[in-house]
Amino acid sequence: DKTVSLRKDLSEMHEWITQAEEEYLERDFEYKTPDELQKAVEELKRAKEEALQKEVKVKLITDSVNNFIAKAPPAAHEALKKELDVLITSYQQLCSRLNGKWKTLEEVWACWRELLSYLDAENKWLNEIELKLKATENVQGGAEEISESLDSLERLMRHPEDNRNQIRELAQTLTDGGIMDELINEKLERFNSRWEELQQEAVRRQKSLEQSIQSAQETDKTLRLIQESLAAIDKQLSAYAADRVDAAQVPQEAL
């Protein structure tokens, strides 16, 4: 009869809801790799869309039960109405939870992509430092040329900490949730190690260039003094020659 048919529809829908809950909400997900995380985002999106598509089925069952109740004797109302209310509540909760979990995983995926973006930006900067350190390894020229190399290195080192702070915070957010913790820790360890190494090398190079500038300045000063001394001697000799002073009268220190 009609009651049996309606109860069968209600039961089948309940079973589908229970299965969906077990498959997508109660199962423990582990996200150890980006592929696993991306796959889970796509799975949840499909499950959310499938649940929304079941809204037509729930509406048909609701209409069928309400039509039956409107014509059936009161004794048949209560049990069916209660079953329908439970179904509607369970269905709405399922849709809400699936949507919530999908949004959460979408945010986690966005967080991971953002982390990669910041790491990429910082690694490009570290690449620039590496190239600059190589370029300043054996700077030729006087104090001015060396000073220009030092200035360019110092300009490059005046890099805001914002990106590194973002990397730290995003990584913490993900690993706190057990998301790809091994992979992220490995990436962070490699990045931080490289960052520290290049920072220390840059500080050493700055000191080395500062010492080279000082040495070059001292050399320039010595050369200038020698040039000035030679110019003075040349002037003195020229004056003697102009006055046609006999070589024997030239003071010994001028020779």
Side-chain angles (χ1 to χ4, degrees):
D1 70 358
K2 186 66 175 173
T3 310
V4 173
S5 174
L6 288 172
R7 283 213 162 92
K8 186 185 174 189
D9 289 342
L10 285 163
S11 177
E12 284 175 357
M13 196 63 207
H14 268 302
E15 281 176 21
W16 181 85
I17 290 171
T18 302
Q19 191 178 349
E21 283 175 342
E22 288 173 356
E23 180 64 22
Y24 300 108
L25 299 173
E26 292 169 14
R27 178 161 60 97
D28 287 332
F29 287 87
E30 281 195 1
Y31 314 112
K32 294 298 179 186
T33 66
D35 285 346
E36 287 176 359
L37 177 59
Q38 190 174 22
K39 187 181 173 185
V41 173
E42 289 166 359
E43 263 187 42
L44 260 298
K45 187 179 180 183
R46 280 195 300 272
K48 173 182 76 88
E49 288 168 353
E50 188 184 343
L52 287 174
Q53 286 165 8
K54 292 286 182 183
E55 188 176 0
V56 176
K57 176 85 172 171
V58 172
K59 191 173 187 310
L60 284 172
I61 294 171
T62 303
D63 290 345
S64 296
V65 170
N66 287 335
N67 287 336
F68 175 75
I69 287 172
K71 299 170 186 175
H77 291 189
E78 193 175 335
L80 264 180
K81 188 73 173 72
K82 189 175 180 181
E83 284 183 51
L84 178 63
D85 289 343
V86 170
L87 174 69
I88 292 170
T89 303
S90 298
Y91 172 72
Q92 289 173 344
Q93 283 178 347
L94 175 71
C95 288
S96 176
R97 289 177 68 195
L98 283 173
N99 190 52
K101 187 161 186 177
W102 171 70
K103 279 186 177 177
T104 299
L105 283 184
E106 276 267 283
E107 287 169 9
V108 169
W109 179 249
C111 189
W112 163 248
R113 300 299 304 168
E114 194 177 1
L115 173 62
L116 288 183
S117 172
Y118 278 114
L119 277 170
D120 184 55
E122 286 302 277
N123 276 313
K124 280 178 181 172
W125 172 65
L126 292 176
N127 290 342
E128 287 181 43
I129 292 176
E130 264 187 337
L131 290 172
K132 182 64 70 177
L133 289 172
K134 283 177 185 173
T136 58
E137 205 163 357
N138 293 301
V139 183
Q140 302 299 318
E144 193 174 334
E145 288 84 358
I146 301 170
S147 183
E148 284 175 8
S149 292
L150 176 61
D151 286 346
S152 66
L153 177 60
E154 286 178 339
R155 274 197 303 274
L156 188 58
M157 295 307 295
R158 284 196 289 273
H159 185 72
E161 283 276 318
D162 298 357
N163 283 5
R164 198 172 178 220
N165 290 335
Q166 282 293 108
I167 287 169
R168 197 180 297 114
E169 286 172 19
L170 289 166
Q172 191 72 49
T173 300
L174 289 166
T175 54
D176 280 352
I179 310 293
M180 297 184 288
D181 44 1
E182 287 179 19
L183 177 64
I184 290 170
N185 287 333
E186 184 185 313
K187 277 184 175 292
L188 243 63
E189 194 176 325
R190 192 161 58 243
F191 165 72
N192 287 327
S193 175
R194 188 178 181 221
W195 192 91
E196 292 290 346
E197 187 182 320
L198 287 171
Q199 285 284 324
Q200 289 170 12
E201 179 56 34
V203 169
R204 283 195 293 270
R205 184 59 47 81
Q206 283 172 311
K207 286 179 181 175
S208 172
L209 288 170
E210 285 166 2
Q211 288 170 355
S212 296
I213 290 169
Q214 194 175 349
S215 298
Q217 285 172 339
E218 288 170 4
T219 301
D220 288 347
K221 185 180 178 182
T222 303
L223 286 171
R224 192 169 60 252
L225 289 172
I226 291 170
Q227 285 170 344
E228 286 172 2
S229 178
L230 288 171
I233 291 169
D234 186 57
K235 188 178 178 183
Q236 197 174 8
L237 288 170
S238 297
Y240 282 129
D243 293 340
R244 296 178 179 178
V245 177
D246 189 83
Q249 293 177 295
V250 177
Q252 188 66 33
E253 64 272 12
L255 296 177

